[in-house]
Amino acid sequence: MQTITAPPTNETKNREPRAPRKPLWRSAVEVVICLMLAVFALESLFAIAGVGGQEFMQIDHKLGTKHIPNKQVIWRMEGFSADKLNSFGYRDIEHTVAKPLGVKRVAVMGDSHSEGLQVPLQDTYARRLEESLNDSAHKTADKTNYEVLNFACSGYSTAQEYVQFSQEVVPYKPDVTVILMHWGNTTANIVDPNKRRLAQPRPYFYLDSEGALKEDDSVSDWYYKPGAESEPLAKTIAFLQRHSRIYGVLCQTDLALNINERLYWRLRGAVQRGITMAQGKNHKAEPPGPAYVEQDATEVTEALVVALSKECAKNGSKLVIMLLPDPSGKASEKLSKELTALGAQNSFGLLDLSDAFKTHPASKDLFLRVHLSSQGHKFVADTLQSFLQQNGYLSANSEPLAAQQRQL
Amino acid sequence: MLFSSFNYLVFLPIVFGLYWVLPDKFRKPLLLLASYFFYMSWLPKYGLLLFGLTIANYFLGLLISKSVDRKKLFLTIAVSINLGCLCFFKYTNFLLDSLWQGLRGFTQVTGVTLAQTTNTPMFDILLPLGISFFAFEFIHYVVDVYKGSPPMRNFFDFALFGAFFPSQIAGPIKRFQDFSKQLIHPPVFSKQDFNDGVVLILQGLFKKVCLGDMLAQLIVDPGYANPAALGTLDAWIVFFAFTFQVFFDFSGYTDIGRGSALLFGYRVPENFNLPFLSANFLEIWRRWHISLSTWLRDYLYIPLGGSHCSAWAQRRNLFLTMALGGLWHGAAWHYVFFGCIQGVILATTRDWQKYTDKHPTLSVMKKSPWWHWSAVVATFWSWTVLLVIFRAPSVTHAFSMYAKGFSSSPAGEITTTFMTSTLPVTLVLYGLYCITCALANRTIEKEQALPAVAGWVANAWKQSVPARAIAYTAMAVVILAFAPGHVQPFVYFQF
């Protein structure tokens, strides 16, 4: 019997012969072997090349985030550095908690500008200040040794610094506490009580109806439930943050895309909302927290600085606020004026760097893109040193004079 | 939309998925729509320009093929429209500026006051992306139809030829005869094409993002921005860095374009063939931006008389072709100067070749390996030195760069930046990748048996889908790891 077959179509002519289907276990073994090989190869390559070390933050219930102790950090996003965080997680050399005899300590606090990942550790203004204070002490008969401790951490607000001071800085007994601030820090001190779900997990502050400064931890409490760190997922993430460069690369990419690519930012938001809904949560639900009216960021920041200066005084330290120049100028000018007035009343020093930066002969070399360059750090260290010395912050038994509040 | 942007990484899989899910008859319209979406995502109104040129060239192509006595007229109209658009968008402000500078020079010399204003009058013209490429494709089309090639009768096919997104913005400059052959038979999904396409895209991304962009951001841009800060070693690092930057950037773009086209079953021509292994400048231009070189040969050099004329006319033709080729790269005098130098070198090289062919001793020496490799090194070095004129914003600036390179001064920051960056590792990584590919190709060509381990790996690569998927993911992670903070536009987008 003759069978009639359809003429071969273009599609059937070009179709490739199918390989026999493999058993499932064999495919599973292949996947496991290939994954292990790929992970080993990538981790080794990234270790040799020094990439993927940017993931250096861990969750902290009180502060929101903090550095991972002993983490090797390689920074290439802006500038370059390759250093290890110390055993307490600070971008600093090792210091004992107990203050040695004959040592005066300066504690430096702030955000990424003070942390200075964009330059090598020895170029940060904290390290330069220590070096030059000791150099000038050795040139004179002064037998004091100076230690400058850097507690700064990327993204920290004044509110986080206030909490960090009592929690971490006080045990080191600093004689002077310096906080490098800029206008951007002030907005991160408050949260809109009606939009808590959009806020970063970190401590926030507000002024109640009587003007008293109050802490609002509702966002952190909502994000990080008690005991959450012992959950398997949290443990895995903590392990990856400490040990995996691949994880570091992926987190870094996520951050860069979130900042630079609008579409990615939108899609990421949609996925997050989807996950929240899949978990049975209402993505529009607000975290519970104290009720208060919308806050003025400058007012809360000023209250925080006053509270910090009192806390410093209580612990035998003198507070100095350094203000970085603000590109728009107007906002920080107002903040500077108000902080100067407050400083006179509350005995803290204010060093506004705006004019000094503007009049510097090579002012554009003081910054990389956003953060301070090595020259910028050196300039801040020199300016701070002369401020501290001229105003008697480091001389024995001296009281800094309120009248000496000066803007350079 | 940049090939190296997140938007493209979303756009491509969506179009790819839809393309193979839809029935045959919807695939070409989908590609056409996607190509216009791709083009208009940058500036929607310029989609009209592309569409307008497509309509004009389509109908003029038909008229040229049908007409008996007015062929030349229609060809002139078509070429004038394409060149007119190109010149208007690309060269108007350049011409005005040059004219104005000339007038100013004239007034300074003669003391005659010709104008009150000192500012050059300029039009607010934004150069449409890829106009130099699609205008050249249209010129090739009408000229070839004039010469007797059958025109493309299907308007949608012709529109796809002009707008095909994998080669729309920066080439390669396609030939319609090759492209229309692929349009006749609808492509069939092939695993081989898919794998080759994905590898080409990943390879191109690595070249563009991890090498080209990094070289630009860390070495080339800071180096050219401030020649005074350069030491001798810095200057040479900057010179070589630009040679590699422009190669990685453009060949990376071409790889991504060719890979993207392969995902849809289309093939676009290669644009590079190991240009840095050329033994002279004639060879370099046969291996570098091949689609432009062949276009200039076919539609400029040959119509000028080509090689079928006197020795001096040949030299003149080469010089004119390269000078106009230089101007094609950008509306600035340093591009013209670069082109003129290339023209002189090409003419001299040709004369030198003729001389050495006739000379009994030199013709023997030419065949020795040391002659060849010395010529390769000398050509690469000269190419690098000449590219300084191409990259510098002006000829004066180029000479200040040369002054740094040819004087003795201590190394500055560029050397330190280069050594502390990821660039040494990425360059080694790329070198190892090239060696592996070359060895694999040689083994396949010579049909040699692979060593046991390599054989196992090659077999796993061929047969195991998970192995390939994991390898592709690993390659993508490598690209992410070595990518700079932000992506730069492709160098050839400005042309």
Side-chain angles (χ1 to χ4, degrees):
Chain A
M1 197 175 143
Q2 197 180 4
T3 52
I4 300 166
T5 52
T9 61
N10 199 19
E11 198 148 335
T12 51
K13 258 195 293 184
N14 291 312
R15 192 168 286 162
E16 290 159 14
R18 265 178 197 271
R21 193 177 278 272
K22 273 186 238 169
L24 195 64
W25 68 267
R26 216 183 129 177
S27 297
V29 169
E30 266 177 24
V31 169
V32 171
I33 292 174
C34 291
L35 263 179
M36 282 165 60
L37 281 174
V39 168
F40 176 74
L42 288 181
E43 290 288 355
S44 313
L45 172 68
F46 294 167
I48 293 166
V51 293
Q54 295 103 320
E55 188 59 19
F56 57 93
M57 299 291 246
Q58 60 181 350
I59 290 168
D60 184 273
H61 279 216
K62 193 69 189 157
L63 290 164
T65 50
K66 64 189 279 185
H67 289 154
I68 298 169
N70 293 316
K71 181 81 204 246
Q72 172 79 30
V73 183
I74 294 164
W75 190 259
R76 284 206 168 92
M77 265 187 99
E78 183 192 1
F80 175 79
S81 72
D83 303 295
K84 201 173 174 184
L85 300 175
N86 76 11
S87 54
F88 294 98
Y90 304 123
R91 186 152 194 258
D92 202 349
I93 57 168
E94 293 292 343
H95 291 285
T96 55
V97 178
K99 185 159 75 171
L101 276 176
V103 166
K104 280 204 169 213
R105 279 182 163 173
V106 177
V108 165
M109 299 177 78
D111 61 5
S112 51
H113 289 282
S114 297
E115 183 191 57
L117 278 168
Q118 301 72 25
V119 299
L121 177 61
Q122 67 272 15
D123 286 0
T124 56
Y125 76 86
R127 300 302 315 136
R128 283 180 185 272
L129 180 66
E130 180 178 297
E131 200 181 325
S132 83
L133 282 173
N134 284 321
D135 277 356
S136 55
H138 295 154
K139 278 178 196 159
T140 61
D142 186 3
K143 287 188 177 168
T144 316
N145 270 323
Y146 292 93
E147 284 184 4
V148 179
L149 291 80
N150 192 348
F151 294 91
C153 183
S154 282
Y156 268 21
S157 62
T158 322
Q160 282 166 297
E161 286 149 14
Y162 175 67
V163 176
Q164 189 193 22
F165 181 79
S166 327
Q167 197 171 297
E168 296 179 359
V169 183
V170 167
Y172 288 87
K173 297 195 171 95
D175 299 276
V176 179
T177 303
V178 178
I179 297 183
L180 179 63
M181 273 177 68
H182 57 90
W183 170 247
N185 296 138
T186 62
T187 50
N189 294 328
I190 57 163
V191 63
D192 183 340
N194 301 315
K195 289 179 183 170
R196 284 195 173 97
R197 69 192 156 84
L198 302 175
Q200 299 275 336
R202 55 164 70 157
Y204 294 97
F205 281 81
Y206 64 98
L207 297 169
D208 68 10
S209 51
E210 289 163 8
L213 187 68
K214 292 280 171 67
E215 190 170 344
D216 177 358
D217 287 335
S218 57
V219 180
S220 294
D221 291 345
W222 187 63
Y223 268 89
Y224 312 133
K225 291 185 181 63
E229 69 272 17
S230 60
E231 285 174 9
L233 181 64
K235 273 186 174 176
T236 312
I237 290 175
F239 175 82
L240 292 173
Q241 279 175 327
R242 278 165 201 269
H243 303 292
S244 171
R245 285 172 184 268
I246 299 174
Y247 182 78
V249 165
L250 296 178
C251 288
Q252 195 60 30
T253 308
D254 176 54
L255 177 70
L257 288 174
N258 215 22
I259 294 169
N260 299 323
E261 299 276 356
R262 205 174 164 75
L263 181 64
Y264 180 83
W265 178 75
R266 281 186 181 167
L267 289 175
R268 192 180 187 273
V271 169
Q272 276 180 339
R273 280 195 296 279
I275 292 170
T276 315
M277 283 162 79
Q279 287 171 339
K281 294 176 190 167
N282 176 3
H283 73 274
K284 286 189 176 170
E286 279 295 330
Y292 50 85
V293 294
E294 210 174 309
Q295 299 285 303
D296 179 289
T298 314
E299 275 179 22
V300 174
T301 305
E302 286 165 5
L304 273 167
V305 171
V306 170
L308 242 170
S309 76
K310 285 178 184 162
E311 200 65 27
C312 283
K314 201 169 85 185
N315 290 287
S317 188
K318 301 154 199 164
L319 178 67
V320 173
I321 299 286
M322 271 200 297
L323 271 183
L324 258 189
D326 167 31
S328 68
K330 286 177 188 166
S332 66
E333 202 177 308
K334 181 176 172 259
L335 185 70
S336 167
K337 272 184 191 164
E338 290 177 6
L339 283 178
T340 309
L342 280 174
Q345 292 164 20
N346 296 280
S347 299
F348 66 83
L350 180 77
L351 171 59
D352 187 348
L353 296 166
S354 304
D355 290 339
F357 268 68
K358 264 182 220 159
T359 52
H360 190 277
S363 56
K364 70 171 187 181
D365 295 338
L366 299 177
F367 285 94
L368 294 165
R369 271 205 315 269
V370 177
H371 293 91
L372 293 166
S373 63
S374 287
Q375 292 101 303
H377 276 278
K378 186 177 184 313
F379 183 62
V380 171
D382 294 345
T383 315
L384 178 60
Q385 186 186 356
S386 40
F387 179 85
L388 294 176
Q389 286 174 338
Q390 284 171 20
N391 293 291
Y393 279 92
L394 296 169
S395 55
N397 304 322
S398 70
E399 277 299 318
L401 302 172
Q404 285 176 325
Q405 307 297 332
R406 51 176 273 195
Q407 291 174 298
L408 292 187
Chain B
M1 199 184 300
L2 292 178
F3 275 172
S4 50
S5 69
F6 180 73
N7 293 8
Y8 188 70
L9 293 182
V10 175
F11 168 82
L12 185 66
I14 291 174
V15 179
F16 172 77
L18 281 173
Y19 182 82
W20 291 111
V21 163
L22 288 173
D24 272 354
K25 61 178 177 180
F26 294 118
R27 286 180 185 167
K28 275 191 277 180
L30 172 78
L31 268 189
L32 185 60
L33 272 178
S35 297
Y36 269 87
F37 176 81
F38 178 86
Y39 192 72
M40 291 165 76
S41 64
W42 168 65
L43 196 62
K45 65 179 177 187
Y46 279 165
L48 287 175
L49 172 77
L50 177 60
F51 187 64
L53 280 178
T54 305
I55 290 179
N57 284 288
Y58 173 73
F59 286 109
L60 283 163
L62 291 179
L63 286 172
I64 292 167
S65 77
K66 274 185 189 167
S67 172
V68 181
D69 51 345
R70 285 191 290 176
K71 265 179 186 283
K72 209 164 195 170
L73 173 71
F74 292 130
L75 175 71
T76 312
I77 294 170
V79 172
S80 307
I81 288 173
N82 292 308
L83 279 183
C85 280
L86 183 61
C87 291
F88 172 75
F89 285 106
K90 199 165 175 175
Y91 302 109
T92 305
N93 282 334
F94 168 65
L95 287 173
L96 278 173
D97 187 50
S98 302
L99 195 69
W100 208 250
Q101 298 296 339
L103 280 174
R104 257 200 221 157
F106 179 75
T107 54
Q108 276 173 7
V109 172
T110 58
V112 179
T113 310
L114 290 172
Q116 294 299 316
T117 174
T118 51
N119 294 330
T120 312
M122 291 280 187
F123 286 103
D124 186 18
I125 300 170
L126 196 58
L127 183 68
L129 271 182
I131 189 168
S132 310
F133 293 90
F134 58 74
F136 271 29
E137 283 182 352
F138 288 139
I139 291 173
H140 132 76
Y141 172 75
V142 288
V143 171
D144 279 18
V145 170
Y146 173 80
K147 284 181 183 168
S149 292
M152 290 175 84
R153 303 222 171 257
N154 185 319
F155 175 74
F156 293 105
D157 284 0
F158 182 72
L160 187 58
F161 163 69
F164 190 55
F165 74 84
S167 64
Q168 184 186 63
I169 308 294
I173 301 167
K174 303 185 293 296
R175 298 297 171 107
F176 86 93
Q177 294 90 340
D178 300 331
F179 194 75
S180 56
K181 266 184 220 159
Q182 301 182 60
L183 292 169
I184 295 167
H185 301 292
V188 177
F189 182 78
S190 137
K191 276 186 199 166
Q192 184 65 41
D193 280 356
F194 176 79
N195 288 323
D196 291 350
V198 171
V199 170
L200 270 174
I201 291 172
L202 290 168
Q203 175 187 302
L205 278 173
F206 185 81
K207 280 188 198 169
K208 158 69 186 156
V209 177
C210 305
L211 291 164
D213 282 1
M214 285 297 264
L215 283 167
Q217 285 179 31
L218 296 180
I219 313 290
V220 179
D221 293 350
Y224 276 90
N226 190 8
L230 297 177
T232 311
L233 184 58
D234 296 320
W236 283 101
I237 289 176
V238 172
F239 295 170
F240 283 105
F242 180 65
T243 306
F244 284 108
Q245 184 214 332
V246 75
F247 170 71
F248 287 130
D249 188 284
F250 195 19
S251 72
Y253 171 88
T254 311
D255 287 349
I256 302 171
R258 288 178 59 223
S260 303
L262 264 183
L263 293 184
F264 301 101
Y266 288 89
R267 278 161 180 75
V268 290
E270 284 196 50
N271 235 358
F272 294 91
N273 178 22
L274 305 171
F276 298 150
L277 295 182
S278 307
N280 58 59
F281 273 67
L282 287 166
E283 196 182 340
I284 261 199
W285 283 105
R286 283 197 290 267
R287 290 165 170 258
W288 177 280
H289 202 174
I290 299 165
S291 64
L292 175 71
S293 307
T294 48
W295 193 98
L296 289 173
R297 180 199 64 199
D298 295 344
Y299 302 102
L300 195 58
Y301 178 67
I302 292 175
L304 281 170
S307 307
H308 302 288
C309 45
S310 70
W312 277 108
Q314 279 183 41
R315 288 180 197 123
R316 179 206 62 200
N317 296 343
L318 264 177
F319 181 82
L320 279 176
T321 306
M322 294 316 291
L324 287 169
L327 186 62
W328 174 89
H329 280 93
W333 285 110
H334 65 103
Y335 290 121
V336 181
F337 186 51
F338 174 79
C340 292
I341 293 176
Q342 293 293 325
V344 171
I345 292 175
L346 290 190
T348 316
T349 308
R350 184 172 280 189
D351 289 348
W352 169 248
Q353 278 184 338
K354 281 179 187 166
Y355 174 73
T356 51
D357 286 344
K358 284 177 194 164
H359 197 282
T361 321
L362 287 176
S363 61
V364 176
M365 279 169 70
K366 252 174 84 168
K367 287 168 190 158
S368 66
W370 69 264
W371 176 287
H372 173 77
W373 288 108
S374 307
V376 168
V377 172
T379 307
F380 176 64
W381 185 84
S382 318
W383 178 253
T384 299
V385 170
L386 285 176
L387 277 182
V388 174
I389 298 168
F390 187 87
R391 170 60 180 80
S394 66
V395 178
T396 331
H397 195 107
F399 279 101
S400 63
M401 295 293 293
Y402 286 140
K404 283 289 172 181
F406 291 98
S407 63
S408 173
S409 52
E413 269 187 26
I414 294 281
T415 309
T416 321
T417 310
F418 177 74
M419 295 312 291
T420 53
S421 70
T422 52
L423 279 167
V425 176
T426 39
L427 285 167
V428 169
L429 210 59
Y430 179 69
L432 290 173
Y433 173 76
C434 290
I435 291 168
T436 313
C437 290
L439 288 176
N441 287 340
R442 203 173 156 185
T443 314
I444 291 164
E445 277 167 19
K446 292 196 171 180
E447 295 180 351
Q448 286 173 343
L450 286 166
V453 180
W456 184 83
V457 172
N459 211 30
W461 178 255
K462 260 187 195 171
Q463 292 182 359
S464 168
V465 176
R468 276 202 303 271
I470 290 168
Y472 294 154
T473 313
M475 282 164 85
V477 174
V478 168
I479 294 165
L480 296 177
F482 292 103
H486 60 281
V487 178
Q488 291 212 328
F490 289 91
V491 172
Y492 267 67
F493 272 22
Q494 60 186 303
F495 306 144

